[in-house]
């Protein structure tokens, strides 16, 4: 696959919005290794996931533009001449989307529309890969959740990500832009945000474990989740970018062997060789937007694009804990 990707990306121009964030920076590293000419656009809004430390070692191999995707004029200029646009910039906190719904709307919906408008007028051939989310399904009606599952978001973030996704699909159907949307599930790995629990509990657990604090599990700990190691998510983004039959399509990602939060905490503690957890009642603001059990059905992307996750949870967590054991101070 690496040879195929090298042929596809070597010397090509690639824009990654949200490129200093967790998934964007891991994608950037892979693209640099494949010979792409990479431009990262990121606002570096302090409470979000962007971090200059994420591009340590590749800083001279990429161009970085500290810009906000809400700046329509700036984006019109930045999309020009790009062969690929990985559209990853996002407000990603579900809780924040409830307390500050307009910012979520501006970033996750309106800006997506203006990036597509910028491409329609200035670069209609650019392949655009959108990072959507399993959050748009809301509380599952059945498991595993496939792409036909009803879309019933439980929070403002889910609604705006759904709009962002569908702008991409409509701009393909109506204007012929080559777009594709991947509905990511819980993604984890080196360079994820571990600062607090606003974005993902797993990042917060990693920090707590490394600092010797007690992991807190809400509810009864039996909620099931599936996880993708970031390298597997990056592989899916690259595949979707390079395959024409993916244009206009929506694909779930998903992990094998869904795991309960309780078992996940125990696995992390076993890998780290120390740690403890406690089970506490759900805080009310979280309970209201909790989705219960979730795991995705990724058979569509497996059969159409040949993607499947390769990294086991144990292996991925081991690598992630090793990374943050060394680099935690850069992420606090
Ligand atoms: N990590 C996951 O588990 C997961 C799951 C589902 C979907 N996703 C989607 O994948 C994408 C990337 O997520 P991530 O986990 O890497 O998060 P992240 O927070 O690490 O990365 C998002 C990046 O976008 C940047 N950004 C935010 N608002 C911006 C703006 N207005 N202008 C420019 N840049 C801005 C942030 O600074 C950050 O670097 C997001 O769109 C998210 O919705 C992630």
């Amino acid at each position: 696959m690496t040879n195929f990707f090298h042929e596809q990306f070597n010397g090509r121009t690639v824009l990654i919005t949200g490129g200093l964030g967790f998934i964007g920076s891991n994608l950037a590293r892979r693209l640099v290794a494949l010979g792409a000419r990479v431009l990262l656009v990121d606002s570096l809004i302090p409470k979000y996931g962007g971090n200059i430390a994420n591009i340590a070692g590749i800083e001279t191999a990429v161009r970085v533009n500290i810009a906000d995707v809400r700046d329509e004029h700036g984006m019109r200029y930045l999309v020009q001449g790009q062969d690929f646009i990985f559209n990853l910039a996002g407000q990603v906190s579900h809780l924040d989307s409830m307390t500050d719904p307009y910012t979520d709307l501006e970033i996750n919906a309106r800006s997506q529309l203006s990036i597509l408008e910028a491409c329609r007028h200035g670069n209609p051939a650019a392949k655009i890969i959108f990072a959507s989310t399993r959050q748009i399904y809301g509380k599952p009606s059945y498991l595993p959740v496939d792409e036909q599952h009803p879309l019933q978001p439980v929070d403002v973030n889910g609604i705006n990500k759904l709009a962002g996704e569908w702008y991409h699909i409509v701009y393909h159907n109506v204007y012929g832009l080559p777009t594709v949307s991947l509905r990511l599930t819980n993604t984890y790995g080196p360079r994820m945000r571990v600062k607090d629990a606003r974005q993902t509990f797993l990042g917060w657990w990693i920090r707590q474990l490394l600092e010797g604090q007690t992991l807190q599990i809400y509810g009864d700990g039996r909620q099931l989740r599936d996880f993708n190691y970031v390298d597997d998510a990056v592989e899916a983004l690259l595949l979707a970018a390079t395959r024409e039959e993916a244009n206009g399509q929506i694909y779930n990602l998903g992990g094998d062997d869904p795991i309960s939060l309780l078992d996940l905490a125990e696995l992390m503690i076993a890998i780290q060789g120390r740690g403890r957890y406690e089970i506490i009642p759900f805080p009310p603001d979280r309970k209201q937007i909790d989705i219960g059990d979730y795991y995705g059905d990724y058979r569509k992307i497996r059969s159409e694009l040949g993607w499947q996750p390769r990294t086991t949870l144990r292996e991925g967590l081991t690598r992630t804990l090793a990374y943050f054991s060394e680099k935690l101070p850069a992420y606090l």
Side-chain angles (χ1 to χ4, degrees):
M1 201 43 93
T2 296
N3 282 346
F4 169 73
F5 285 147
H6 192 266
E7 277 164 28
Q8 298 287 319
F9 289 106
N10 188 26
R12 308 294 297 283
T13 49
V14 179
L15 165 65
I16 307 176
T17 72
L20 294 175
F22 162 45
I23 300 173
S25 61
N26 281 287
L27 174 65
R29 305 180 96 80
R30 183 83 194 275
L31 284 165
V32 165
L34 294 169
R37 290 152 58 198
V38 179
L39 169 63
L40 308 179
V41 169
D42 202 293
S43 57
L44 277 187
I45 296 168
K47 62 180 183 172
Y48 293 176
N51 190 335
I52 285 287
N54 283 342
I55 55 165
I58 58 161
E59 54 279 79
T60 54
V62 294
R63 285 188 302 138
V64 178
N65 196 317
I66 305 302
D68 197 303
V69 292
R70 287 171 288 186
D71 174 4
E72 236 173 285
H73 304 292
M75 289 311 294
R76 276 197 179 219
Y77 174 75
L78 292 167
V79 301
Q80 286 170 23
Q82 301 296 336
D83 296 319
F84 298 93
I85 298 172
F86 291 91
N87 206 357
L88 271 54
Q91 192 303 106
V92 299
S93 165
H94 302 292
L95 283 179
D96 287 8
S97 81
M98 302 308 294
T99 52
D100 180 8
Y102 298 118
T103 299
D104 195 90
L105 176 72
E106 286 291 318
I107 297 175
N108 289 333
R110 192 182 196 288
S111 301
Q112 303 309 316
L113 186 57
S114 64
I115 290 169
L116 289 160
E117 274 291 280
C119 289
R120 179 163 83 93
H121 293 291
N123 188 2
K127 175 79 181 245
I128 309 172
I129 306 91
F130 179 66
S132 184
T133 170
R134 60 125 172 96
Q135 190 68 11
I136 67 178
Y137 293 117
K139 204 170 164 45
S141 309
Y142 59 84
L143 292 165
V145 173
D146 59 15
E147 291 86 350
Q148 307 308 320
H149 186 283
L151 302 172
Q152 45 202 22
V154 293
D155 55 32
V156 167
N157 179 263
I159 298 170
N160 293 330
K161 288 294 285 190
L162 175 55
E165 173 182 278
W166 274 87
Y167 291 137
H168 285 76
I169 301 304
V170 166
Y171 270 58
H172 169 266
N173 295 345
V174 177
Y175 300 120
L177 300 193
T179 66
V180 52
S181 176
L182 299 185
R183 291 180 181 161
L184 275 56
T185 189
N186 301 292
T187 309
Y188 71 98
R191 305 177 186 84
M192 72 191 297
R193 192 173 176 285
V194 298
K195 207 176 259 182
D196 53 45
R198 278 182 36 257
Q199 187 176 327
T200 135
F201 73 92
L202 183 51
W204 180 231
W205 280 8
I206 287 169
R207 174 174 176 184
Q208 286 187 307
L209 192 60
L210 291 173
E211 290 183 339
Q213 297 173 45
T214 304
L215 313 188
Q216 293 186 324
I217 304 177
Y218 301 143
D220 60 7
R222 294 185 201 284
Q223 309 93 301
L224 294 174
R225 289 286 181 277
D226 61 352
F227 292 91
N228 280 149
Y229 186 62
V230 65
D231 289 2
D232 288 326
V234 164
E235 189 86 3
L237 288 163
L238 296 179
L239 268 176
T242 52
R243 300 283 289 275
E244 263 183 44
E245 64 270 40
N247 294 353
Q249 295 296 316
I250 293 169
Y251 297 102
N252 273 356
L253 302 192
D256 296 324
D257 305 324
I259 185 169
S260 73
L261 300 192
L262 207 60
D263 289 344
L264 177 65
E266 283 178 0
L267 177 60
M268 289 170 68
I269 289 167
I271 291 169
Q272 194 58 15
R274 64 186 155 82
R276 58 188 180 278
Y277 63 82
E278 61 179 349
I279 296 180
I280 61 164
F282 255 105
D285 55 347
R286 287 187 186 268
K287 184 65 202 165
Q288 276 171 334
I289 60 171
D290 181 55
I291 58 163
D293 293 341
Y294 177 92
Y295 48 96
D297 180 335
Y298 65 85
R299 276 180 297 179
K300 181 178 174 192
I301 190 167
R302 188 176 64 195
S303 65
E304 292 183 13
L305 304 185
W307 177 85
Q308 64 184 82
R310 309 259 171 212
T311 315
T312 64
L313 191 56
R314 176 176 283 276
E315 173 64 28
L317 286 171
T318 304
R319 286 191 222 162
T320 308
L321 283 164
Y323 178 83
F324 282 108
S325 299
E326 201 187 315
K327 313 260 197 235
L328 190 62
Y331 289 86
L332 302 182

